[in-house]
Amino acid sequence: MMSNLTAKSFIDELQLHQNEADKEKMKKFFKGSDKNTTCLGLNMRTVFQIAKQFTDMPLTEIEQLLENDYYEVRMGAVSIMDFQAKKKKLNNEHRQALYDLYIQRHDRINNWDFVDRAAPSVVGTYLLDKPKDKLYEMAHSLNIWERRTAIVSTFSFIKNGHLEDTFAIAEILVNDKEELINKAVGSFIREAGKRDEEKLKSFLNKHARTMPRITLRYAIEKFDKSTRDYYLSLKNN
């Protein structure tokens, strides 16, 4: 366990591993509209490894990382949150505090991979045994990242055998204008379909003709060829 679990120490550690060759590569991952975001130049494996060493960082320090303009620093922040949320003996008070931090600082969780890294464990796991109103609120948000959180968080529900919210939120987002939402909807109804194929087929029977093609392709990825061809034919008619 590291003794100096501060935002500054974490950033100092990241800077030791900077690599100019990775700088341009990392820029391609950032899809947000935040013009201030820049890249240090680290590969994600290194960021995750360093984040794991800082798993016990206080939430006040994590929030400082979220404030940072470097892409890898914010990825580190959500990774630390993810590691904390996955602790088996995490108490309810700390789990709620992680959830609150994620929701309150969603302005800084502003890229698809930030959401995907932490939403299932931090948001979804917290809400497993609670009302899901916040997810439905975010599904209607004008903020693309909040909408992505709404659907991605349900992965935790899927893993626990609860599929209703995945399909209900997908219903809200099925005709979203943003490709990053289309892909997420397709991906997570596919995951739900692994648990209950008939529910997925029922959803597709209703929406296949009108949903974005990329959503459909993601959703049917695990079907056999004849089933995939059938749903693609509905789209073509």
Side-chain angles (χ1 to χ4, degrees):
M1 184 183 298
M2 300 194 67
S3 58
N4 192 17
L5 299 171
T6 65
K8 182 182 184 305
S9 294
F10 180 78
I11 295 167
D12 288 346
E13 186 66 26
L14 288 182
Q15 289 174 331
L16 292 176
H17 299 270
Q18 281 182 265
N19 181 348
E20 281 296 319
D22 285 322
K23 189 172 290 188
E24 291 303 315
K25 189 189 301 182
M26 287 300 101
K27 286 180 181 178
K28 296 177 183 177
F29 283 94
F30 190 73
K31 305 295 184 184
S33 58
D34 175 6
K35 296 177 181 178
N36 294 321
T37 292
T38 188
C39 296
L40 282 168
L42 291 96
N43 64 61
M44 284 299 101
R45 171 185 268 185
T46 301
V47 174
F48 298 154
Q49 289 173 341
I50 295 171
K52 193 160 191 176
Q53 296 172 32
F54 282 80
T55 295
D56 294 318
M57 179 182 283
L59 297 187
T60 52
E61 298 293 320
I62 295 174
E63 185 165 11
Q64 288 186 42
L65 296 181
L66 289 173
E67 291 281 4
N68 197 280
D69 285 334
Y70 281 110
Y71 168 80
E72 296 93 337
V73 173
R74 296 212 297 287
M75 176 56 83
V78 294
S79 297
I80 294 168
M81 293 171 74
D82 175 62
F83 287 131
Q84 289 191 11
K86 287 176 176 172
K87 282 186 172 183
K88 291 182 179 178
K89 295 184 178 180
L90 189 69
N91 64 54
N92 291 333
E93 182 180 6
H94 193 95
R95 189 172 297 284
Q96 180 175 350
L98 277 169
Y99 168 84
D100 289 342
L101 177 60
Y102 184 107
I103 296 299
Q104 291 164 8
R105 296 316 314 266
H106 214 315
D107 61 313
R108 303 302 293 160
I109 302 173
N110 59 348
N111 199 45
W112 66 272
D113 53 353
F114 297 164
V115 170
D116 292 12
R117 177 70 189 181
S121 57
V122 175
V123 178
T125 300
Y126 173 72
L127 293 176
L128 266 175
D129 58 352
K130 299 176 181 64
K132 314 298 191 290
D133 303 47
K134 186 63 181 178
L135 294 186
Y136 289 88
E137 176 188 323
M138 287 194 289
H140 287 100
S141 173
L142 295 178
N143 184 314
I144 179 177
W145 311 121
E146 291 187 359
R147 300 200 304 278
R148 190 167 174 107
T149 288
I151 187 69
V152 171
S153 295
T154 70
F155 189 48
S156 180
F157 309 159
I158 294 169
K159 289 192 294 184
N160 284 273
H162 307 306
L163 311 180
E164 294 77 10
D165 292 295
T166 300
F167 286 111
I169 290 170
E171 189 96 24
I172 297 169
L173 297 172
V174 68
N175 291 310
D176 199 276
K177 303 297 184 186
E178 296 284 351
E179 186 178 274
L180 286 167
I181 303 300
N182 302 156
K183 290 179 177 179
V185 169
S187 294
F188 289 97
I189 61 173
R190 180 190 67 227
E191 293 304 308
K194 291 178 183 178
R195 296 290 186 118
D196 191 329
E197 188 172 292
E198 290 308 309
K199 282 187 176 179
L200 174 55
K201 287 180 175 178
S202 177
F203 186 92
L204 294 175
N205 291 339
K206 181 177 180 182
H207 295 290
R209 292 173 178 83
T210 55
M211 65 167 55
R213 183 173 294 275
I214 195 165
T215 304
L216 180 60
R217 286 193 174 278
Y218 272 58
I220 65 176
E221 197 174 70
K222 298 301 180 181
F223 286 154
D224 59 64
K225 185 178 185 303
S226 63
T227 307
R228 292 198 306 273
D229 289 346
Y230 168 71
Y231 283 109
L232 288 172
S233 73
L234 294 182
K235 185 67 181 170
N236 292 331
N237 290 335

